[in-house]
Coordinates of all heavy atoms in Angstrom, one line a residue:
Chain B
T47 N -21.1 -19.3 -23.7 CA -22.3 -18.8 -22.9 C -22.5 -17.4 -23.3 O -21.5 -16.5 -23.2 CB -21.9 -18.8 -21.4 OG1 -21.5 -20.2 -21.0 CG2 -23.1 -18.5 -20.6
I48 N -23.6 -17.1 -23.8 CA -23.9 -15.8 -24.4 C -25.0 -15.1 -23.5 O -26.0 -15.8 -23.3 CB -24.5 -15.9 -25.8 CG1 -23.3 -16.5 -26.7 CG2 -24.7 -14.5 -26.4 CD1 -23.8 -17.0 -28.1
V49 N -24.8 -13.9 -23.2 CA -25.9 -13.0 -22.6 C -26.4 -12.1 -23.7 O -25.5 -11.4 -24.1 CB -25.6 -12.4 -21.2 CG1 -26.7 -11.5 -20.7 CG2 -25.1 -13.5 -20.2
A50 N -27.6 -12.2 -24.0 CA -28.0 -11.4 -25.2 C -29.3 -10.6 -24.7 O -30.0 -11.0 -23.7 CB -28.5 -12.3 -26.3
D51 N -29.5 -9.5 -25.4 CA -30.6 -8.6 -25.0 C -31.6 -8.6 -26.1 O -31.2 -8.6 -27.3 CB -30.0 -7.2 -24.8 CG -31.0 -6.4 -24.1 OD1 -32.0 -6.8 -23.5 OD2 -30.8 -5.1 -24.1
G52 N -32.9 -8.8 -25.8 CA -33.8 -8.8 -27.0 C -35.2 -9.3 -26.4 O -35.4 -9.9 -25.3
S53 N -36.2 -9.2 -27.3 CA -37.6 -9.5 -27.0 C -37.7 -11.1 -27.0 O -36.7 -11.7 -27.5 CB -38.6 -8.9 -28.0 OG -38.3 -9.5 -29.2
D54 N -38.8 -11.7 -26.6 CA -39.0 -13.1 -26.9 C -38.9 -13.5 -28.3 O -38.4 -14.6 -28.6 CB -40.4 -13.5 -26.2 CG -40.3 -13.5 -24.7 OD1 -39.2 -13.3 -24.2 OD2 -41.5 -13.4 -24.1
Y55 N -39.4 -12.7 -29.2 CA -39.4 -13.0 -30.6 C -37.9 -13.1 -31.1 O -37.5 -14.0 -31.7 CB -40.0 -11.9 -31.4 CG -39.8 -12.0 -32.9 CD1 -40.5 -12.8 -33.7 CD2 -38.8 -11.2 -33.6 CE1 -40.3 -12.9 -35.0 CE2 -38.6 -11.3 -34.9 CZ -39.4 -12.1 -35.7 OH -39.0 -12.2 -37.1
T56 N -37.1 -12.1 -30.5 CA -35.6 -12.1 -30.9 C -35.0 -13.4 -30.3 O -34.2 -14.1 -31.0 CB -34.9 -10.9 -30.3 OG1 -35.6 -9.7 -30.8 CG2 -33.4 -10.8 -30.8
L57 N -35.3 -13.7 -29.0 CA -34.7 -14.9 -28.4 C -35.0 -16.2 -29.3 O -34.1 -17.0 -29.6 CB -35.2 -15.1 -27.0 CG -34.7 -16.4 -26.3 CD1 -33.2 -16.3 -26.2 CD2 -35.4 -16.6 -25.1
E58 N -36.3 -16.2 -29.7 CA -36.6 -17.5 -30.5 C -35.8 -17.5 -31.8 O -35.3 -18.6 -32.2 CB -38.2 -17.3 -30.8 CG -38.8 -18.6 -31.5 CD -40.2 -18.5 -31.9 OE1 -41.0 -17.7 -31.3 OE2 -40.6 -19.2 -32.9
Q59 N -35.7 -16.3 -32.5 CA -34.9 -16.3 -33.7 C -33.4 -16.6 -33.4 O -32.8 -17.4 -34.2 CB -35.0 -14.9 -34.3 CG -36.2 -14.8 -35.3 CD -35.9 -15.7 -36.6 OE1 -34.9 -15.7 -37.2 NE2 -36.9 -16.6 -36.9
I60 N -32.8 -16.1 -32.3 CA -31.5 -16.3 -32.0 C -31.3 -17.9 -31.9 O -30.4 -18.6 -32.4 CB -31.0 -15.7 -30.7 CG1 -30.9 -14.2 -30.9 CG2 -29.7 -16.3 -30.2 CD1 -30.7 -13.5 -29.5
E61 N -32.3 -18.5 -31.1 CA -32.1 -20.0 -30.9 C -32.2 -20.8 -32.2 O -31.4 -21.7 -32.4 CB -33.2 -20.4 -29.9 CG -33.0 -20.1 -28.5 CD -34.2 -20.6 -27.6 OE1 -35.3 -20.9 -28.1 OE2 -33.9 -20.6 -26.3
K62 N -33.2 -20.5 -33.0 CA -33.4 -21.1 -34.3 C -32.2 -20.9 -35.2 O -31.8 -21.9 -35.9 CB -34.7 -20.7 -34.9 CG -35.9 -21.2 -34.3 CD -37.1 -20.6 -34.9 CE -38.4 -21.4 -34.4 NZ -39.6 -20.7 -35.0
Q63 N -31.7 -19.7 -35.3 CA -30.6 -19.4 -36.2 C -29.3 -20.1 -35.7 O -28.6 -20.6 -36.6 CB -30.4 -17.9 -36.4 CG -31.5 -17.2 -37.1 CD -31.8 -17.6 -38.5 OE1 -30.9 -18.1 -39.1 NE2 -33.0 -17.3 -39.0
L64 N -29.1 -20.1 -34.4 CA -27.9 -20.8 -33.8 C -28.0 -22.3 -34.1 O -27.0 -22.9 -34.7 CB -27.9 -20.6 -32.3 CG -27.3 -19.3 -31.8 CD1 -27.4 -19.3 -30.3 CD2 -25.8 -19.2 -32.2
N65 N -29.2 -22.9 -34.1 CA -29.4 -24.2 -34.4 C -29.1 -24.6 -35.8 O -28.7 -25.7 -36.1 CB -30.8 -24.7 -33.9 CG -30.8 -25.3 -32.5 OD1 -30.0 -26.0 -32.1 ND2 -31.8 -24.9 -31.8
K66 N -29.2 -23.6 -36.7 CA -28.9 -23.9 -38.1 C -27.5 -23.9 -38.4 O -27.1 -24.5 -39.5 CB -29.6 -22.8 -39.0 CG -31.1 -23.0 -39.2 CD -31.7 -21.7 -39.9 CE -31.3 -21.7 -41.3 NZ -32.1 -20.7 -42.0

Side-chain angles (χ1 to χ4, degrees):
Chain B
T47 308
I48 301 166
V49 178
D51 198 12
S53 62
D54 288 346
Y55 170 83
T56 306
L57 175 67
E58 186 185 330
Q59 270 295 309
I60 290 176
E61 288 180 339
K62 284 174 166 178
Q63 295 294 344
L64 278 172
N65 269 314
K66 280 172 72 170

